[in-house]
Every structure is written in structure tokens, then in C-alpha cells.
Amino acid sequence: MKQYFNARVAVVIVYVLAMFMSALDSTIVNVALPSIVEAFDVPPAATGTINIGYLISLAMFLPAAGWFGDRFGTKRVFLAALAIFTIASALCGIAHNMFTLNLFRILQGIGAGFLTPVGMAILFRTFTHEERPKLSRILIIPIALAPALGPVIGGLLVDVLSWRWIFYINIPIGILALVIGKVYLQEHLEEAVGKFDYKGFLLSLSGFSMSIYALTQGTIKGWTSPEILITGLVGISLMIALVLVELRIDKPMINLSLLKDPMFRTMSLISLCSAAGLLGMLYVFPLMYQNALNVSALHTGLTTFLEALGLMVASQIMPWTLKKLGLQRLLIFSLLGTIIVFILIALSALSNPWLLRVLMFGIGFFLGQTVGAAQISAFKHIDSASMSRATTLFNMQNRLGSVLGVAILASVLGATDAVEGEHIGLLTYQYALFGAALFLIIAWIIAMRFKETENKRKPQLRLDDVERSKGIG
């Protein structure tokens, strides 16, 4: 096939298409749940498994992504995961009952578990640390725009066509990414990858999935229910065992020694806390706006959409602010700005809707710079051989942060609802938003200490020089 553009441009296009599809899928499904209930004649509670199965299967296979990419080739594994996700999307669209839909959603989760870390490894091996800030202007599309567009696109597809089209929409995107990736992506294998870490895989598979299940279902089934208590305790025990095992293995599946690098460790923790705060806020705010303030779903969506626009603006100026302020000051100022905006949203819930929309834009503007700077800086000292394991570990922490944020804030709402035995009041939602700000305060404290930590020890890992050719434009 004739090559129509630079190979480095193709890497960006394939990554953006794959991540856009995956990110869109994380929010587009929710608006179709009522239609699925009606189509399959099941109770609303039964649709919870549609997302649970997806999240757990993703969590189960995410830790193994780095090893598979190094062993069998990042191009081969990435395209296989992309094909699995695309085929599973088509199968979800033709599902004829809840069992088959849940089964195909689990298959989707397996593909998604490999897509992000392997795709990120390909991207960061292609572009040097100095080039990565410019990438934020493009990479923000799947990070911010896709999740925000999910409810809007999903609502249109459900109303005009049917719920099945929320899955069919992935097919053309997936095929396009597969064709471009097949032609342009370069294969990368690591010779010294080591044997497959079966102990680590089994411990992470069971421990991570059980922990995610307990966190996502605790507020629904009750934190004191035997099912949640046993699942959660066993999951935590297995995760502790995983850490102990991985630290003793020469070639572990989850390379925890990467956390010895101060830059990677600090940026990972800041990203974890930022994900917990942002996802927690995006969970609480729509509930507060609709249930406590009786605002329509449409207006709620339009209000939260401003956060995505703020992220996109932040992505355009982040390379400039990073250069002018430096990493530490940028993180301190952007996190402090986000904390202030979070508090203002909690205090201004009854204010003019346009004030809330401006504040939502502010969250995206400030936190977008934090997330972008942390992501591109985390891998500054990671060499090419360790990149797949590093992106896997980074994404595992982000996934855990997202689930923790939603689970903890949901438990605040659930506990109050259980005590009062009535509709959750506005004050409770405000307390939950303050809780979301606490995650960012932790990230801000870490950022304040970052310079001292960075100067204490020199980086142990060096980024391999990547041959530069024509830029991304």
C-alpha cells in the first residue's frame, strides 16, 4: 500500500483513534442502559454487569500487557488488541440477550486492557522526552473529548437508530486504525524479556479483579456484606502477596523497581490522585445537579462538557507553561487552581448555571495541565527496554485511582442515604465534592515535595536516543 504520510504521524493517528474508541466506550454505554433493559426485558439492576464485566476483565489483563508487548512485539500485540476490541464491539451490537452481551463486553475489556499501555509504549518510543509536550495538543482528543462526547453521541444514536449502534460506531474507527497501523507501525521486541511471570499474573489477575469488584460494588451491596468483605479482604491480601513476589523475581511482570526513579514515582502518584479527584467529581456532580437540584440530563451534560473544552485549551498552552514555569511550579499552580475551583463548585451549587459552567471549564483548564505535564514527564528517565513495563504500571495506577475516587465518594453518598433513609440532600453532595478536592490536596503536597525528592538522588534510568525525523507537523 502506498504510504501517504510520515510514519511518526501514523503512530499518533493510530494511537488517537484507538484511545478515542476506548475512551468513548467508557461513557457512551451508560445512556443506552434504559433501552437495553427494555429490549431484553430485564430489571434495571441487571444492567450493572455490563460495566462490571468490562472493568474487571480490563483489570485482569492490564498487568500482563507490558510483557506481551515486549515478548511478541508491540505492533503485533497492539493490533491484536485493537482487532479484539473491534470484533467484540460488533458482537455486542448483535447480542440477543444479557448473557451474550456481558460475555462480549468481557471480551471488549480484554482488548482494552492491552490497548492503552502497549499503545503508549509505542508512542513514547517514537518521540523523545523533548518532543512529547507538543504531543499533548493532539493526545487530549481521546483523553478529554471522547468521554465528554460519549453521552451526547450515545443519546443521538439511541434516539435516532437503536442502542446497538453505540457498539457499531466502534467498527469503522477500529478498521481504520488497523489498516493504518498494519502499514505504518514498526515492530519492537525485547530480547531479554524473560519467562512469563505466571505467579505474578495469577496474583494480579485475581487480586486486582477482586479488589476492583469490591470497590465498585461496595456501595451497592453494602460494605459490611459478607460478599464484599470477603472479596475485598482476599483481593487486598493477594495484592500484597503480588508485591512481595514481584520484588523477589528477576524479570517480574510488574516491574516495581521502576518506582525507584523519583520522577516516575512522583508523577505516577500525582496522576493517581488527579484521576481519583477528577473521576470522583465527574461522578458526584451530575448526580447532585440532577437529583438535588432537579436539572435535566441535557443541561447537566452541557455543563460538564465545558470541563472537556477546558482540557483541550490546557493542552494547547501546556508546552508553553511547562517551559516557562518548569515542572514543579506548573504542577503546584495548576493543582492549587483545581483545588480552589473544586471548592467553589461545592459552595456555588445553587448559583447561576453559567458560573458553574465557567468553573467546570476551569477544572479542565487547570487539571489538564497537571495531567498532561505529569504524563509526559513520568517517562523522562525510562529507557526503551523498560518502556512497556513502565506504561503498564503507570496505567494500572491510573485505573486504580479512578476506581478509588468513585468508590470512596460513592460510599459517602451511600452511607448518608442509608442513615437518613431518604433522598440524599444537597449538603451531602457538597461534602462529597470536598472529598474529591482532598485527593488533589494530596497531589499538591506531593508536588510541593517533588524538588527535594528529585535532588536527593540522580535518575537511574536513561531514555534511549530515538532517531529524529520529520516532526508531527
Side-chain angles (χ1 to χ4, degrees), residues 2 13 15 28 39 76 81 113 163 165 195 214-216 264 293-294 316 323 336 356 383 425 435 440 470 473:
K2 182 180 178 181
I13 292 174
Y15 180 83
I28 197 173
R76 185 178 292 111
W163 65 267
W165 281 89
K195 295 181 179 180
L215 287 171
T216 55
F264 182 76
L293 302 179
N294 298 317
Q316 302 305 304
K323 181 179 179 180
L336 183 59
L356 289 175
D383 62 9
L440 299 176
K470 186 178 178 180

Side-chain angles (χ1 to χ4, degrees), residues 7 46 48 113 127 133 142-143 169 172 204 209 248 299 333 356 434 466:
F127 296 93
I143 294 173
I169 193 175
S204 66
S209 59
R248 296 175 182 175
H299 283 86
F333 290 145
L356 289 175
F434 287 134
V466 180

Side-chain angles (χ1 to χ4, degrees), residues 384-398:
S384 180
S386 303
M387 190 60 73
S388 289
R389 308 295 177 95
T391 54
T392 295
L393 183 57
F394 187 83
N395 279 281
M396 285 178 61
Q397 293 177 109
N398 270 6

Side-chain angles (χ1 to χ4, degrees), residues 354-408:
W354 279 106
L355 173 60
L356 289 175
R357 289 167 186 163
V358 171
L359 292 174
M360 275 290 173
F361 179 88
I363 289 177
F365 179 79
F366 287 114
L367 197 58
Q369 298 190 66
T370 300
V371 173
Q375 183 175 19
I376 64 173
S377 300
F379 306 94
K380 181 177 182 179
H381 304 138
I382 304 298
D383 62 9
S384 180
S386 303
M387 190 60 73
S388 289
R389 308 295 177 95
T391 54
T392 295
L393 183 57
F394 187 83
N395 279 281
M396 285 178 61
Q397 293 177 109
N398 270 6
R399 176 65 58 177
L400 182 60
S402 302
V403 175
L404 277 175
V406 174
I408 291 174

Side-chain angles (χ1 to χ4, degrees), residues 282-333:
L282 292 177
Y283 167 77
V284 172
F285 182 82
L287 292 175
M288 177 186 73
Y289 219 40
Q290 293 181 72
N291 297 337
L293 302 179
N294 298 317
V295 178
S296 68
L298 175 61
H299 283 86
T300 301
L302 292 174
T303 300
T304 55
F305 183 74
L306 270 295
E307 182 267 338
L309 294 183
L311 277 172
M312 297 185 70
V313 173
S315 71
Q316 302 305 304
I317 69 169
M318 191 276 290
W320 180 83
T321 54
L322 180 61
K323 181 179 179 180
K324 293 295 182 181
L325 297 177
L327 179 59
Q328 184 188 25
R329 282 190 290 178
L330 174 60
L331 291 173
I332 291 173
F333 290 145

